[in-house]
Amino acid sequence: MSSLREVAKQANVAVSTVSAALNGTRPVAAATRARIELAAADLGYRPNLLARGLVSKRTGILALLYPAPNRGFGLTEMQFATSAAEAASEAGYHLLLSPDKSDPVAELRHLTGVGLIEGVLLMEVRLDDERVDHLVAAGTPFSMIGRTRQPAGISYADIDFAATARDAVDHIVGLGHRTLAFLNHSPDAYAALYGPTVRCAEEFAVAAGDRGVEYLGDLHADSVEQGRAAFEWLATNRPDVTAVAVMNDHAAVGVLGAVADRGWRVPEDLTLLLVLSSVEVARMFHPRLTTLEPPSAELGRLGARMLIDQLQPDAGEGKTPRQQLVPCRLVVGESSGPPRRGAETGVPE
C-alpha cells in the first residue's frame, strides 16, 4: 500500500499538504487538491481511517448494535442491516455490525472509548434500554430502529404497530372471522420488554376489541415444537378459533404441521397469518402465507439517515429529533379464507 509520503512526492507538495487535502483539516487550493487526489488515485493510496480520526476526530465509521436474537438472523432481520449499510455507504460512511448481546453496554464503552466510531444505530430496542441511557449520558450521537417507552428527544424509525394490528384484524373480519389467536414471542422476550413483542400484544388486543373479535393473546411460540404445541392446545381447548396470527416463522412451521396431522387444511379450516415476516419468507411456505411484511429496508435507511444527519456540521444541539412510524404491508397469500363451517363445534364439515 502506498504511503502519504509517496503521494506527496508524486504531487510535488509537502506531506502536511497531502494530509490537509485528504483529511479536510485545513483549506487547500482547488488545483493543488486535484493534483493530490490524482496522485493518490494513481498510487492506489487509501487513508488510514484510525490515523485520520486522531487528527480530525472523524473516522467515517458508524456502529450498528444489533444483538443477535435468540431466533437467529433471518432474511427479514438482514434486510434492516443491509439497507442501513447501503444508506451509510451512500453518505460516505462505513457501517460496523456489532452483534454482541452478552454485555451491550460494555461493548458500547469499548467502541466509543477507543474513538473508533462517530455514532451508533441501535436495533432490537427494549422499552427500557440501558444502551440508550449510556449513550445519552456519554453524549454519543445515536438513533434507533425501534423505540423505548419514552423516546422524547431521540431520533427513531419504528413500525406503526397500531396501524399494522388494525390492518390484520380488518383483514380477518372482512373474511368473516370472529375469533383470533395470537402466538407471540416467548415469555422471556416479553419479560425483557422487547419492543415489538410488547407493542404487538397490546395493539392486537386493542384492534380486536374495537372490532368485536374475541382475542386469545396469552399464547407464545418461538420454535417449531412450540408452534405445534400451541395449535394443539387451541384445537383441544378452543376449537372455535378460526384465525391464528404468528410472530415467529419457525412457530408457523409447527402450526402447519399440527394442522396437517389433524387432517385439516389451510385456509379451508384455518386462516394463518405471519406477523413481521417478509414476503420472501412467506413464499417458502405451502400454502404461501399471508404476511404483515415489515418495512425493513425503509426503516434501515431511515435510521441510518437520522444518525448521519446528526453528524453534519450544521446539525446543532437544538435540532428537533426525527421520529417516524411506518406500518407493515399486508400481503395476502394463499392462507387466508373464510371461517370453516362448523367452527362452533371445532369439527370441520
Side-chain angles (χ1 to χ4, degrees):
M1 182 182 295
S2 302
S3 68
L4 205 67
R5 189 175 300 278
E6 289 172 316
V7 174
K9 181 178 180 181
Q10 179 157 322
N12 196 27
V13 295
V15 172
S16 60
T17 304
V18 174
S19 177
L22 298 181
N23 297 327
T25 53
R26 63 177 172 82
V28 175
T32 304
R33 179 186 299 276
R35 194 165 71 250
I36 291 170
E37 291 174 348
L38 180 61
D42 287 344
L43 294 169
Y45 173 76
R46 301 187 68 178
N48 184 306
L49 293 177
L50 292 179
R52 183 174 69 180
L54 291 174
V55 177
S56 65
K57 302 193 183 300
R58 302 293 298 270
T59 64
I61 299 176
L62 310 175
L64 173 62
L65 263 66
Y66 196 166
N70 292 331
R71 59 189 180 277
F73 288 119
L75 288 174
T76 305
E77 288 81 11
M78 291 312 300
Q79 285 176 347
F80 286 99
T82 54
S83 60
E86 289 169 359
S89 178
E90 290 167 5
Y93 288 86
H94 300 274
L95 192 68
L96 172 68
L97 174 62
S98 176
D100 180 58
K101 66 176 181 178
S102 57
D103 191 343
V105 172
E107 176 75 357
L108 270 176
R109 290 197 187 99
H110 172 70
L111 290 173
T112 56
V114 299
L116 177 65
I117 60 174
E118 292 188 41
V120 174
L121 178 57
L122 293 180
M123 287 199 64
E124 298 291 283
V125 178
R126 301 181 179 185
L127 298 189
D128 300 316
D129 201 308
E130 59 183 347
R131 300 173 301 170
V132 171
D133 298 334
H134 172 78
L135 290 168
V136 170
T140 302
F142 75 98
S143 64
M144 301 183 292
I145 299 177
R147 64 194 191 276
T148 55
R149 191 191 309 274
Q150 298 292 338
I154 302 173
S155 292
Y156 68 77
D158 197 9
I159 292 171
D160 187 335
F161 292 99
T164 297
R166 287 195 300 269
D167 288 346
V169 174
D170 284 346
H171 173 62
I172 66 163
V173 168
L175 294 170
H177 296 272
R178 306 307 302 167
T179 57
L180 171 66
F182 182 71
L183 275 58
N184 205 337
H185 289 310
S186 69
D188 289 343
Y190 200 98
L193 300 179
Y194 175 51
T197 300
V198 176
R199 288 194 167 99
C200 266
E202 293 174 346
E203 298 300 347
F204 266 81
V206 170
D210 288 346
R211 286 149 183 79
V213 173
E214 186 177 1
Y215 176 72
L216 284 76
D218 193 24
L219 296 165
H220 305 274
D222 263 343
S223 68
V224 174
E225 294 76 16
Q226 290 171 358
R228 178 180 290 274
F231 176 77
E232 289 295 348
W233 184 92
L234 284 171
T236 301
N237 297 280
R238 289 300 308 267
D240 57 314
V241 171
T242 58
V244 174
V246 185
M247 282 279 281
N248 183 281
D249 307 335
H250 297 96
V253 174
V255 171
L256 284 172
V259 167
D261 287 349
R262 281 187 168 260
W264 291 14
R265 294 178 299 168
V266 171
E268 288 83 358
D269 303 314
L270 182 76
T271 285
L272 183 61
L273 312 179
L274 283 177
V275 182
L276 308 189
S277 290
S278 68
V279 170
E280 288 77 9
V281 170
R283 286 173 179 158
M284 295 180 182
F285 289 85
H286 181 73
R288 177 170 50 86
L289 298 186
T290 294
T291 187
L292 280 302
E293 182 180 43
S296 309
E298 184 175 358
L299 293 181
R301 296 185 69 86
L302 279 171
R305 284 303 325 176
M306 289 174 179
L307 172 58
I308 292 166
D309 287 348
Q310 296 178 49
L311 303 176
Q312 303 312 302
D314 59 347
E317 291 187 5
K319 191 172 183 178
T320 304
R322 291 177 59 193
Q323 299 179 340
Q324 188 166 342
L325 297 179
V326 184
C328 291
R329 180 171 67 104
L330 174 65
V331 183
V332 179
E334 300 166 346
S335 64
S336 294
R340 65 184 180 273
R341 296 177 61 186
E344 296 80 6
T345 63
V347 180
E349 294 183 358

